[in-house]
Structure formats: C-alpha cells, structure tokens
Amino acid sequence: MQFYVSLKDLEDIEGRILTGGNDEEIIQRLRHVYEFLPAETNISVADGIVSIDIPERVISNKLEAIRLHEKASQRAKAGEYVKAINIWERVLELDPTYVLARRDLGMALMEVNKIAEAKEHLIEAATLDPKDSWSYVVLGNILARNQDDFEGAIRFYKKALEINPKDSWAINSMGGIALEQEKWDEAINLFDQSIAINPKFANPYFGKSHAYVGKSEPDKALASIEQLFKDAELQDARSQPVFRAARDNYKNTQLTLAKISLGSANDALAVYKEHVEDISSFPVKEERKAMDALLAGQTQMAWKKQRDHHLVIIRSQYSEELVPHIRAHEFTHIALEAEARSKGRNKWFGTTAVTRETALRAMAGDIKKMERGGVANTQNTAEVIVQILNGACGFIFNAPLDMIIEERIRDGLPALKHSQYCSLVQLASEAEYITTQKTVRELTPKLILRVNDTLNTVMALWLRDFTHGIADFTPSYRKLENFALGGKLYSHFQSRAKKGFQPGDEYDLVDEFADQLKIRDWYQWIVDPSGLAHKPKTKPDPNAEKTPVGTTNPELLKAMDMASTMYIVAAMERFEKLQKKQVQQIAFEIGVLGMSGLDYASSEKKYQLNSLPGEKFSGLELMALMHTGFKQVAPEQDSGMGLDDAFEMAQSLFIARQRKK
C-alpha cells in the first residue's frame, strides 16, 4: 500500500519545520512522525512530496478491520466509549493505516478525558490523510478546550476550512473561541454562518445563546435555544450534553428574567385578580404557609366554604419569582368555577365513605401485601392507603384542569411567561423525583401506581409540547408500563382542546380520564347547591358561543387592516398623554378580558374597561389598544393579536401627524 503526503501539510500538522539538512536527515524526522506505522514501512521524499509505502503483507485482515470499525462506531454513537476504544485499538492492530478508525479513536478518547492519547491519534490520522478536515477540527478543539491555545486552535480550524469552506463544525468552533474572548458580535456572526450551513447542528444555537447572555440580551438567548429545540437534531450520545446544557441555560435565563419581570408580573396579576373578583362576586384573600412538595397552592372557594371571600394559599417555601405563576394558577381555578356557575354547570369533586370503600376493595390484594411487608399494623396501613388514595383522587381532578389553566395563563398573561416556565419545571422535577423513588413505588398499591404513572406521563407529554420540547421529562416515564395509556389520554386532551372548552367542560374531561383509568367510581360529583345565587357583576354575553376568540379568523382580521390601523393611531395618540403605568394597566386589563374572547367581527361598542371608565369599545378597538400598549410597555412580548402589519402602517401615519403639529 502506497500513499503520498505534501511535506508542507505535514509541517502544518506538526507545527515545526521538517526540512533542513540532507535527505537522510529529513527522512529520519519523517520516520519519527510515522513511528506508529509498521517497521517495514518505506519512506522517501521527492519535490516536497512524501511517499509512504507499506507492504501489503503487514496488514493482516483489512475486511475484518472494516467490520470492527463499524461495530466500534455503533458503540460510540450509543455512548459506550470504553467498549468502542477497545474495538478501535484492535482495528489498528489489523490495519494501522485505517485513517477513520484512528481519527474516531482519538475522538472517543476525548470523551473519556484521555486528552494526550487523543491528540496523538488525531495527529497520526492527519499525517496519514492531511485532507481530512475532521482531524483538524478535533485537534483545534483539544488545543482550545484543554490547553487554552486559541492561536494554535484557530490555525487548525483554518486548515480545515481550506479543505472544506463549508465545514459547520470548524466555523462553530471558531465561534466558540470568539465567545471565550468575549467578542460577542463576532461569535454570533460565526454561529449564524454555521447554522446556515447545517441548521440541524445544535452547538451553534447553544453558543449563540451564550453570546446573547454576554451581551445582556436574555430574550434573544432564549429565542436561540428555542430555535435549537425546533430545528436541531439529537444525532447521537455525543450531542446529548449540548441539549442538556441548553435546557439548563434556558432555565437559568428564564429564572433571571422572572426576577427582572417580577414587578410587571405582579402588576398584571393585580388586574387579573380584580377581574376574578368581579366575575366571582367575592374578594380574594391570600396567605402563605408550609406545604408538601407537589402542592404549590390551594384555593378555598367562598361559595363552598360559606365565606365572604375566596382564600388562596401559596406554599411558603416557593421562591418569590415563581409565586406569580402559582397565584395566577389559583386565580384561574376561581375563574373556571365562576364561569361554570354562570352557566349553571358548576360541580364539586368529592369522595365519600362509599367511594373510598370501592377503591380500597379494588386494592385489597396490594393492601395485604403491604401488611405482610412490614407496615406496623392494620390501622397504620389503612391510614397510609387512605392518604395515598386521596392524593390519587386529587390528581385525577387536577391534572385535566391544570393543563387548561396553564394554557389560559400563557395566552392571557404573557407578563408571567418566565415565572410560569420556571414554576412548571420545578413542579415537574418534584413529580419526577417522587415518582421514581424506589421506596415510594414499593409502598404504593399497583392500582394507584397505575393512576399516578399515567397522569404523570400525561403531564410530562403536555409540558414537553407546551415548552416546544425544552422541558422534557418524558424519558423518566417511558420505561413505565403505563406510558402508552398516558399517551392515549394526552391525545384525548389534545383533541378536546382543539374544539375549545366551554364553562364546565373541564368536569367532563375529568370523567373521561377516569373512565380510561377505570376509576370512575372512586369519586362523586356534587352539584353546586348555590347555583346562580351569586351572579357575576359582568353579565355574560348571550352570543358568547358565536363570538370568535382571539384571532381565530386571520383572513377577516387582515381584511380589516385599514380600520385596525386607524384604531392603532388613535391608541398611540391616547397613550401619548398617559403615564407608562396607566398604559400597562389598560393593556393588562384587555389581556385578561381577551382570555374569554373578543368579538372583532362586530363594530358594536359593547365592551367596558375599569381602567377607562365611562367609555365603550368595539372588540377591534380593544385589540388595537392592547397591541399598542404592549408595544410600549413590554415590546418583547407578543400580544397575539395579529396586528403587526397594521401597527407598522399606523406608526408611519402617527409620525407624519406629529411632524405636521
């Protein structure tokens, strides 16, 4: 076997001059470069070209080497690096000229932190094939990450780009060095180049997010990671750390923004709380107290407790920046009941001695096993089982409602999006931890495990989709036998959500989940005895079911662009005279009102605002006010109104009017 290498390429790889002296001295240096090849190898130089000649007889089994190389590659993709390294070492015994095996061995050695050995094998691979850009990229990574030799690393990256100008890995690695040097704009430019070449490559999205954090632009950092989960692919075990780190980076950035936006979140909640008090006809009082994990908040309804107020209790251990989300969640529980009451469809979920006995009878076999397994006595066993049963019943009621509530919060309270994300991830982490504890599972009857595992699966699937794959706890539940049933229930929720939920539909959803789990007889419904005794102050629109919600008809909204533009101009003129706090209050109030839908198809002025007393507005006017308000007080938030084109046109008109004054 004979192959040829440019002497200049070898000098670039070795980082030293190999010429000088007579031919024998040059060949001696080259023998040192190729000392990893068999002793029978013949090396010669002519006109700057090195010739390496290896007798075929010293390569014992080329076909076996190819087979083993493929096997090692599969091991490495699965993250089994030690096994892969052992196989590649055998490959090189069979065929020391196998460039890909030598290069991949070097990469695997990097993964197990054997850096010196990795560098040696990568240099050897490059000397055998100086046109293999991968070897240069990985060598550059070793110099940059392990030796802080940025200059040497860039030399290798540029060498790789001479061979392949569209090497996205090399460009990404150069972006990484710019990042280390805090050259934020240069790094972003390089990462963008890498993404343009290979949009499925995760690393440059992650690098770009770090650059935006460095530039103090956290919203753009979040957007970059969101793009990562939207477009990039998890190629093999080596790319898993990038996705894990991206999730951590995203959560930390969200937490930072939750702290920064705490004031605006609480302002939005103040308006929302007033709305909830208005439609429920009772004030809402709040308190903090210690609660168990998985229980972040609790609401005691005025009409159920026969009080003159609702009481919202928040877990005292919850960090302040996450509290707005729990408050919003509990307020929305009140709103759901108030809306169901206004339609005469409210029901109370409860268990009785009969329903508990039914459930306990179904678990009789497991209870006997628990008694034999060491629980102190029958009384203690009964107490434990009833407590676990109550938790499972609470879960069957809350899981369907929680998904509805969280989607309403996302759509109606964008000021809470950072708090909401961090809070949901914390609660999901707590659920994952408890669900996967061996001792917990051993002490839980199989039937209740089935309920809890299935509903945790539903919530994990929902959260994965809700966060566009960023918060993904599903791997912890995939190995459970009830994962498939959880997927079936989640699909059912999705189909119901597409049709939209009317007041009281959430109770039907609870029953539909319970039917699938075969536990419908574990609880009973009690019709709200107060019925419509406490009518909301704002009468429901009799045409509500015919009213388009949000921008459900974008074609109609587009046709109304001119009217939208003029309303937005009027909003700009109105807000010019108001303080930012007043603008914020108006925008937030409309946002809350919009959670129930705005009729933008009608020109009738049928809406009123507490923040603008004495006036009436059409649905389209309110949308224009809200969109304009958010552009002023929270430009980073999407109002969801679909009025961006109209806003641009209105801005031009507004500026032109100002110049004429």
Side-chain angles (χ1 to χ4, degrees), residues 304-321:
K304 192 170 184 180
K305 294 291 183 179
Q306 298 297 306
R307 291 185 185 146
D308 62 356
H309 65 274
H310 306 294
L311 179 61
V312 168
I313 305 168
I314 306 294
R315 190 165 95 196
S316 58
Q317 307 97 308
Y318 230 54
S319 58
E320 286 305 315
E321 59 271 15

Side-chain angles (χ1 to χ4, degrees), residues 296-531:
Q298 191 178 62
T299 295
Q300 297 174 2
M301 305 291 179
W303 39 72
K304 192 170 184 180
K305 294 291 183 179
Q306 298 297 306
R307 291 185 185 146
D308 62 356
H309 65 274
H310 306 294
L311 179 61
V312 168
I313 305 168
I314 306 294
R315 190 165 95 196
S316 58
Q317 307 97 308
Y318 230 54
S319 58
E320 286 305 315
E321 59 271 15
L322 308 189
V323 168
H325 165 249
I326 302 304
R327 293 178 66 208
H329 187 96
E330 297 306 317
F331 293 167
T332 308
H333 263 297
I334 298 171
L336 282 178
E337 280 212 20
E339 290 164 9
R341 293 179 90 229
S342 74
K343 296 290 186 181
R345 296 192 64 199
N346 194 41
K347 294 187 288 188
W348 294 338
F349 181 94
T351 60
T352 66
V354 173
T355 62
R356 284 192 292 273
E357 183 182 349
T358 300
L360 291 171
R361 195 181 304 118
M363 295 181 280
D366 285 335
I367 294 171
K368 287 181 180 179
K369 286 181 184 178
M370 288 179 67
E371 291 171 352
R372 291 196 298 267
V375 177
N377 54 56
T378 306
Q379 180 60 35
N380 284 344
T381 303
E383 289 176 3
V384 170
I385 293 296
V386 169
Q387 185 178 4
I388 294 172
L389 174 60
N390 288 340
C393 288
F395 202 3
I396 188 62
F397 173 73
N398 281 297
L401 270 69
D402 284 350
M403 292 184 286
I404 295 171
I405 287 170
E406 293 303 334
E407 293 186 2
R408 286 183 67 160
I409 292 172
R410 176 198 60 198
D411 297 339
L413 294 166
L416 273 66
K417 64 181 179 181
H418 307 302
S419 177
Q420 182 182 29
Y421 178 88
C422 297
S423 178
L424 288 173
V425 168
Q426 177 169 318
L427 291 169
S429 297
E430 291 173 2
E432 178 188 49
Y433 175 77
I434 292 173
T435 303
T436 55
Q437 287 294 299
K438 185 179 178 182
T439 52
V440 172
R441 298 188 70 80
E442 287 174 350
L443 288 172
T444 304
K446 288 183 180 179
L447 193 51
I448 289 183
L449 269 183
R450 180 172 182 268
V451 173
N452 289 344
D453 288 350
T454 301
L455 294 176
N456 274 314
T457 296
V458 173
M459 299 305 295
L461 290 167
W462 171 83
L463 183 60
R464 180 200 62 190
D465 291 353
F466 186 79
T467 63
H468 307 291
I470 300 174
D472 187 5
F473 291 83
T474 59
S476 295
Y477 302 106
R478 286 186 185 279
K479 54 193 174 188
L480 303 178
E481 61 179 300
N482 295 302
F483 185 82
L485 179 57
K488 183 178 178 182
L489 286 181
Y490 177 55
S491 295
H492 177 70
F493 169 80
Q494 288 178 302
S495 64
R496 293 283 272 109
K498 284 180 182 176
K499 298 173 185 175
F501 292 105
Q502 297 301 318
D505 282 355
E506 61 270 20
Y507 306 135
D508 296 336
L509 187 61
V510 171
D511 286 344
E512 289 156 11
F513 272 36
D515 286 338
Q516 291 289 330
L517 289 164
K518 298 182 173 28
I519 59 167
R520 180 62 188 83
D521 50 4
W522 283 21
Y523 63 89
Q524 70 176 25
W525 293 109
I526 303 169
V527 176
D528 184 348
S530 55

Side-chain angles (χ1 to χ4, degrees), residues 84-100:
I85 287 167
N86 292 334
I87 298 170
W88 270 316
E89 287 174 344
R90 175 58 182 153
V91 170
L92 294 180
E93 289 174 6
L94 296 172
D95 182 3
T97 69
Y98 204 150
V99 176
L100 291 181

Side-chain angles (χ1 to χ4, degrees), residues 20 51 72 124 215 247 332 342 349 418 421 524 556 575 587 599 604:
S51 172
E124 290 168 356
K215 290 187 70 177
R247 286 188 169 97
T332 308
S342 74
F349 181 94
H418 307 302
Y421 178 88
Q524 70 176 25
L556 172 61
F575 291 158
D599 180 7
E604 181 186 352

